Amino acid sequence: MQPTTAESAPSSAVSPSASTLTGHCLCGAVTITVAGHHDPRVGACHCRMCQRWTGGLLLCFTADVPAVTVTGEVARYRSSSFAERAFCPRCGSHLWFNDVDDAGQPKDYELMPGLFDAARPWPLRSEIYVDRAMAAVPLAGDHRRKTRAEYEADNPFIEGDLE
């Protein structure tokens, strides 16, 4: 459920970035600008909730809340007591998955890398719920992996993970 928190420390090969990124949804109605700290690596989640939301797996990268500016109408869905998912209400593009505080404010942004042209060369940083992955979407490479049990031992989760 929190794809980017499985391992958040940057590797020595790729360091956090403060460069400015601009991305947008499929129809262009929502623009997201990241002007500050973000992790230029991608996290993957194979939990059942993410599979249902994306049709396969969730890919995202983290950005600090003050670094992110969003323009355009955004629809939000509170998918659990601790998280929300956002999408463009016009074209349906997924925008982010966020852990939220008790007041519903984002703790950070976990943005969809496909919205940003600059994210195309970014490496895969981590993968969670690997034991729940669909056979059609194996991810190759040398990156951190956690099973459902390993991830849920240290992070909030939805009981039963939508069996």
Side-chain angles (χ1 to χ4, degrees):
M1 301 290 296
Q2 301 169 350
T4 59
T5 58
E7 297 294 336
S8 58
S11 72
S12 58
V14 180
S15 60
S17 180
S19 62
T20 299
L21 306 171
T22 300
H24 57 85
C25 65
L26 186 61
C27 71
V30 177
T31 298
I32 301 173
T33 302
V34 180
H37 184 267
H38 60 277
D39 188 347
R41 299 173 301 157
V42 176
C45 181
H46 299 280
C47 78
R48 287 297 294 142
M49 189 177 288
C50 286
Q51 288 173 352
R52 287 190 173 121
W53 192 46
T54 65
L57 76 156
L58 176 82
L59 297 175
C60 62
F61 71 97
T62 59
D64 291 344
V65 171
V68 177
T69 304
V70 180
T71 58
E73 183 182 357
V74 172
R76 290 172 170 81
Y77 173 66
R78 187 75 179 254
S79 58
S80 70
S81 63
F82 58 85
E84 76 170 8
R85 296 166 190 264
F87 56 95
C88 172
R90 183 171 162 191
C91 68
S93 294
H94 299 163
L95 304 171
W96 64 75
F97 169 95
N98 288 339
D99 286 338
V100 294
D101 62 21
D102 291 339
Q105 297 303 306
K107 294 180 179 180
D108 62 12
Y109 278 90
E110 298 180 23
L111 299 163
M112 306 299 108
L115 304 173
F116 301 85
D117 291 340
R120 287 188 54 151
W122 292 357
L124 186 60
R125 174 181 48 77
S126 63
E127 188 177 0
I128 61 174
Y129 288 83
V130 295
D131 53 332
R132 311 272 304 203
M134 298 174 70
V137 291
L139 300 177
D142 184 22
H143 56 273
R144 295 178 184 111
R145 292 174 170 87
K146 287 191 177 188
T147 64
R148 176 183 179 184
E150 290 167 334
Y151 181 77
E152 290 180 1
D154 299 321
N155 296 281
F157 61 94
I158 302 300
E159 192 64 41
D161 184 35
L162 298 179
E163 294 295 337

